[in-house]
């Protein structure tokens, strides 16, 4: 029923991106244009919404709990929280639901790494490579090194995208056979392996003062209730850049930037066959062998 629901964009001329002049209607049109590629990465996942009622030039807010504020035809899931009451989060499975949240001045969509089938078992691993200003080339190098490590050592298939902000995400589809308590330590150990091989450029130190200019290989998103920006989601930055899935070969382009694509160029890219993540889920495998290999290697080091 909700898939066919007609959502009228209210105040379509409201300017959400003042520098570029992009309006709420521009934003809605963009999300409509990319919905076929975006929705598979939102489906059946709790979503955190980043809303900007007065445009990105003013403070926005993050919304997790939708309570009674959303109509009952919007799918939702009850999310347990430690030492707090559970909350209801939206689940965006249809174009109508997507259009509804955009009409609520949602600019950015942050889905979970797990689905409603079992919120404690992720079906992807994410490494966030967010460099210091001017360090995008280091993020590119880190992405390539991570790919080599994960594919050669652990047999995992890696995908890469610009975040639309300042860095890159390397994302690995996995079958949801293990909980976050197993997946996060695996991600940490991979990050430590990379940092040990290239200690002058990469680190797992969480404290900024301890990084000493090195890029933090951020594995921390691989935890219960953590989120990451969705592929094709818009960022609340001047020019309306978007998180853009890339072909690995594109990292060789010396002119590549983290904000390479925006709400104007991304629909054209998709029309011209620029959807490098279309087989993302088809490449998911169990993490069981990778976890066993990592455990064996750790035991050998201790011996």
């Amino acid at each position: 029923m909700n898939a066919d629901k007609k959502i009228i964009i209210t105040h379509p001329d409201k300017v959400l991106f003042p520098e570029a002049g992009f309006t709420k209607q521009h934003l809605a049109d963009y999300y409509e244009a990319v919905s076929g590629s975006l929705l598979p990465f939102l489906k059946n996942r709790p979503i955190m919404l980043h809303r900007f009622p007065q445009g990105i030039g003013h403070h926005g807010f993050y919304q997790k709990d939708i309570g009674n504020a959303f109509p009952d035809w919007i799918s939702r899931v009850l999310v347990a929280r430690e030492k707090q009451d559970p909350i209801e989060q939206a689940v965006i499975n249809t174009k109508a639901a997507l259009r509804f949240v955009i009409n609520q001045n949602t600019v950015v969509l942050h889905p979970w790494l797990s689905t409603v089938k079992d919120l404690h078992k992720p079906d992807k691993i994410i490494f966030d490579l967010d460099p210091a200003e001017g360090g995008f080339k280091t993020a590119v190098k880190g992405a390539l090194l991570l790919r080599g490590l994960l594919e050669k050592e652990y047999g995992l298939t890696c995908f890469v995208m610009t975040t639309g902000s300042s860095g890159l995400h390397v994302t690995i589809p996995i079958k949801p056979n293990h909980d976050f308590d197993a997946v996060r330590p695996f991600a940490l150990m991979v990050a430590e392996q990379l940092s040990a091989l290239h200690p002058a450029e990469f680190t797992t130190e969480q404290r900024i003062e301890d990084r000493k200019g090195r890029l933090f290989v951020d594995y921390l998103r691989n935890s219960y209730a953590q989120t990451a920006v969705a592929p094709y989601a818009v960022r609340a930055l001047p020019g309306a850049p978007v998180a853009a899935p890339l072909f690995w070969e594109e990292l060789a382009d010396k002119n590549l930037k983290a904000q390479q694509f925006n709400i104007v160029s991304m629909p054209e890219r998709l029309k011209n066959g620029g959807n490098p993540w279309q087989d993302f889920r088809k490449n998911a495998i169990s993490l069981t062998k990778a976890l066993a290999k990592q455990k064996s290697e750790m035991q050998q080091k201790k011996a």
Side-chain angles (χ1 to χ4, degrees), residues 82 114 118-122 124-125 174 177-189 219-225 287 291 294:
E82 187 177 358
S114 55
D118 191 335
L119 294 176
H120 293 275
K121 292 183 177 179
K124 64 181 72 174
I125 302 171
I174 58 174
N177 299 335
H178 301 276
D179 61 22
F180 283 106
D181 289 340
V183 174
R184 179 173 170 168
F186 172 79
L188 168 58
M189 290 299 295
Y219 61 92
L220 297 172
R221 297 182 186 277
N222 302 288
S223 303
Y224 177 80
L287 201 62
L291 290 173
Q294 189 181 68

Side-chain angles (χ1 to χ4, degrees), residues 222-278:
N222 302 288
S223 303
Y224 177 80
Q226 293 298 305
T227 66
V229 64
Y232 305 105
V234 183
R235 305 311 300 266
L237 295 168
V242 304
L246 300 174
F247 295 99
W248 279 102
E249 302 78 48
E250 291 180 285
L251 293 189
D253 183 354
K254 294 181 180 180
N255 296 315
L256 180 69
K257 302 183 293 293
Q259 298 181 20
Q260 186 80 11
F261 300 97
N262 71 354
I263 63 172
V264 175
S265 58
M266 179 53 77
E268 288 299 317
R269 173 176 167 85
L270 287 171
K271 284 181 183 178
N272 294 323
N275 186 4
W277 285 32
Q278 61 184 355

